[in-house]
Amino acid sequence: MGVEGYLPCELVPVVDLAATLNQTDRCDAFCVLDDASVPASLARGIESQKSFDAGISSEVCCFGAKLDADTTVRVVYSAVGELSDFDDVRRYAEAAGCAMRRALKAGARYPVLILPKPTQRFANAPLVALLGALHELYVPLQLREDVPSKRQRYPRLGVYYPENAQRGQELVRTVQALEAGRFVARDIGGGDPERMAPPRVAEYVLGAFSSGTVKVTVVDDVRVFEREYPLFQAVNRAAGTVDRHRGRIIFLEYKPPNPARKTVVLVGKGVTYDTGGADIKAGGIMAGMSRDKCGAAAVAGFMKVVEQRRPADVHAIGVLCMVRNSVGEECYVSDEMVTSRAGVRIRVGNTDAEGRMAMADALCQMKERVLQEGLPDPHLYTIATLTGHAVLAVGNSAIVMDNGPARAVDHGLQLQRAGEAVGDPFEISVLRREDFTFHQGKCYGEDVLQANNLPSSRTPRGHQGPAAFLMLATGLDKCGLASSHPIKYSHLDIAGSAGDIPETPTGSPILALAQAHLGCC
């Protein structure tokens, strides 16, 4: 399916604001974020309202303003306001989202968003503002399916770019590609534990990539799991007894038309529901665990952007490790010894540390492909809503942790800058020797300890340790700077940035990755 089916509404580039009022299906609201972007006639109406209402600069307002002597228009004014040294471009997304909410309350059916002008500090302010509006207009998948009359909040949204019409049309096309990816990620990440159980995620992904630009391969055979993905299968064991919950590993691959200059490989945690397993989440903390698949959802979303952008020389591979961490007579338990695909003997310390188990063997397989096929300039990623410690450490930002080869090329800093430009922020954490020591086997006969038996939020360096585990369990620890085959690897913990219930999933880190690897802006 093309981009049209993966947008909250139709985007209509607007060249002349006055002309939209003369159409049969005329616009019924102008949404303004920045005084500098509006025509002089409308600016006079806003200034008049400011003299009447001193709160207009700090609260979202709706009022009538004269566009000309004969025409009064509804204006929704959601000012970005004065920006401090510590504000970032997300302020534009927030203002646009507030404008959409207020326009809906005002009864608008066809608003026009007047995009802010880019500034020296925030060159991507127009793009981020439009993405913020679309984030607000997203309607959850299950509501769209169950109540078709509510599938859209607006049928269409006008987009007025004050700089020039051609640039405005280019920006709309870019936003359509990015939003298609975030739309897919929201559908998968936000779906409830039954609607987006592993088999139904596979069905959704097959439909989303039916164009054939991105090849889809689904592994669903338990015998294959046992043989090739033993850590994944340990988690899948209890859920696998129920057909509708049985795990899936979904591979997405895009091969460019020209020789690839680099290879981007993303492995995502897709835990469709996390009970904690035998180490069950007690005390009311299980609610919201349907969002534990947002890492895999972001991988699918990034690949949707790749499908839309079709980069000429970037080879992209995505792996969605979809599994339910169920509790029952077949569930895996602490103290079990499981040998990974890489031949590493692992002792389970906590069944609630299932995300790293779900991803490790697929990550190992991707490492094998890099080495066997000689993929050009490869960079491996794991993306996961992995630890509560990440939320405690950095709040609602994502965290990037690089291995030696990735750190040597300043990858973390580059990804942070890319995210900063498009409102998808990252903090950088450094992996240290202590993280690897923590996961070294403690008992004779074991190579690696999967986890301790405390929550990550009560474990020192609780978000760095899982990255070390993933390297130890897959053999990536032997692909460092001093090895004969160094491979760049980064672990992205998005527990804070993915979006918790009741908020809409954010699609993080799709924008940052797209900016870093596809140059979307």
Side-chain angles (χ1 to χ4, degrees):
M1 187 182 293
V3 70
E4 297 80 9
Y6 296 94
L7 294 175
C9 60
E10 180 187 2
L11 295 179
V12 182
V14 170
V15 176
D16 183 346
L17 289 177
T20 65
L21 300 171
N22 298 323
Q23 298 170 355
T24 303
D25 186 13
R26 56 179 285 165
C27 85
D28 52 12
F30 290 156
C31 298
V32 179
L33 313 181
D34 177 11
D35 293 1
S37 62
V38 298
S41 57
L42 191 56
R44 286 192 293 271
I46 293 172
E47 286 301 316
S48 175
Q49 186 67 18
K50 284 182 177 180
S51 65
F52 179 74
D53 179 5
I56 188 173
S57 296
S58 57
E59 296 182 5
V60 183
C61 297
C62 181
F63 53 89
K66 288 282 189 182
L67 190 62
D68 55 44
D70 301 318
T71 308
T72 299
V73 298
R74 177 193 283 139
V75 174
V76 174
Y77 189 77
S78 179
V80 174
E82 185 175 345
L83 301 178
S84 75
D85 292 348
F86 304 101
D87 281 308
D88 58 60
V89 74
R90 288 177 296 171
R91 283 286 297 273
Y92 290 89
E94 293 162 2
C98 289
M100 293 299 102
R101 286 197 297 274
R102 188 64 184 87
L104 281 165
K105 287 184 178 180
R109 293 298 298 157
Y110 174 26
V112 171
L113 178 62
I114 300 176
L115 295 176
K117 290 184 177 181
T119 68
Q120 184 174 3
R121 183 178 171 193
F122 299 121
N124 292 314
L127 178 140
V128 173
L130 182 50
L131 286 169
L134 294 176
H135 175 81
E136 182 63 34
L137 296 179
Y138 171 79
V139 175
L141 172 66
Q142 285 164 272
L143 182 58
R144 301 199 312 269
E145 292 177 336
D146 296 344
V147 190
S149 62
K150 295 185 177 181
R151 70 185 184 278
Q152 291 179 309
R153 297 188 180 189
Y154 294 128
R156 59 180 181 158
L157 174 66
V159 181
Y160 176 72
Y161 188 65
E163 292 292 281
N164 62 69
Q166 182 179 353
R167 173 59 183 145
Q169 291 174 347
E170 292 171 357
L171 183 142
V172 166
R173 286 193 293 270
T174 297
V175 166
Q176 285 175 329
L178 293 172
E179 184 60 21
R182 297 202 306 172
F183 196 93
V184 166
R186 292 192 191 104
D187 277 358
I188 295 174
D192 81 13
E194 293 296 328
R195 176 58 186 89
M196 280 299 172
R200 300 197 70 187
V201 173
E203 292 172 3
Y204 179 93
V205 169
L206 286 165
F209 293 95
S210 58
S211 71
T213 303
V214 172
K215 179 184 177 183
V216 183
T217 305
V218 179
V219 178
D220 60 4
D221 190 331
V222 172
R223 292 168 298 181
V224 176
F225 293 154
E226 291 172 344
R227 183 176 65 248
E228 299 185 25
Y229 310 97
L231 300 184
F232 175 93
Q233 175 56 15
V235 182
N236 181 55
R237 213 163 63 202
T241 63
V242 181
D243 285 347
R244 72 179 191 278
H245 292 163
R246 189 171 297 150
R248 299 288 190 272
I249 299 180
I250 305 166
F251 294 88
L252 305 172
E253 184 164 7
Y254 169 83
K255 293 184 177 180
N258 299 335
R261 63 179 170 85
K262 68 176 176 178
T263 308
V264 181
V265 182
L266 311 174
V267 178
K269 174 186 175 183
V271 177
T272 60
Y273 199 73
D274 182 16
T275 68
D279 290 298
I280 198 161
K281 292 181 182 290
I285 63 171
M286 199 184 299
M289 285 298 105
S290 61
R291 293 285 178 90
D292 216 9
K293 57 188 180 304
C294 283
V299 171
F302 176 82
M303 294 302 295
K304 188 67 178 177
V305 177
V306 169
E307 178 198 61
Q308 299 300 311
R309 300 285 291 187
R310 301 190 181 193
D313 55 3
V314 178
H315 184 184
I317 303 170
V319 189
L320 285 63
C321 303
M322 309 306 305
V323 66
R324 179 177 169 124
N325 190 20
S326 292
V327 60
E329 59 188 3
E330 291 290 337
C331 66
Y332 83 124
V333 295
S334 295
D335 297 341
E336 278 194 42
M337 293 288 297
V338 187
T339 301
S340 74
R341 180 186 179 105
V344 178
R345 290 174 56 78
I346 292 168
R347 178 165 62 90
V348 176
N350 189 333
T351 64
D352 200 17
E354 82 296 332
R356 65 198 74 177
M357 299 280 283
M359 294 185 292
D361 292 322
L363 177 63
C364 180
Q365 183 181 14
M366 294 300 101
K367 179 204 72 175
E368 293 166 3
R369 280 197 63 181
V370 165
L371 296 176
Q372 293 166 6
E373 300 177 24
L375 300 178
D377 190 20
H379 197 138
L380 306 184
Y381 290 87
T382 44
I383 307 176
T385 50
L386 210 64
T387 65
H389 191 276
V391 182
L392 285 178
V394 301
N396 62 354
S397 294
I399 302 177
V400 54
M401 290 155 270
D402 289 338
N403 74 345
R407 190 178 177 189
V409 296
D410 286 334
H411 165 262
L413 185 59
Q414 292 173 27
L415 184 62
Q416 185 182 57
R417 287 174 175 167
E420 199 72 20
V422 292
D424 195 1
F426 269 91
E427 302 293 346
I428 301 171
S429 285
V430 177
L431 297 179
R432 300 195 182 277
R433 181 180 59 183
E434 297 94 311
D435 303 315
F436 294 86
T437 301
F438 182 86
H439 284 280
Q440 286 177 349
K442 306 299 186 285
C443 298
Y444 183 72
E446 72 186 33
D447 299 320
V448 172
L449 174 64
Q450 172 237 26
N452 63 345
N453 54 13
L454 290 175
S456 68
S457 56
R458 293 173 55 197
T459 301
R461 301 185 64 82
H463 68 267
Q464 289 101 324
F469 168 85
L470 284 162
M471 294 173 64
L472 291 166
T474 59
L476 272 170
D477 60 315
K478 298 177 177 60
C479 298
L481 284 168
S483 74
S484 60
H485 43 270
I487 299 175
K488 289 178 289 184
Y489 165 66
S490 301
H491 173 58
L492 311 183
D493 194 329
I494 62 167
S497 64
D500 289 329
I501 292 174
E503 302 299 326
T504 300
T506 64
S508 172
I510 293 170
L511 297 181
L513 288 170
Q515 175 70 354
H517 291 293
L518 307 178
C520 286
C521 302

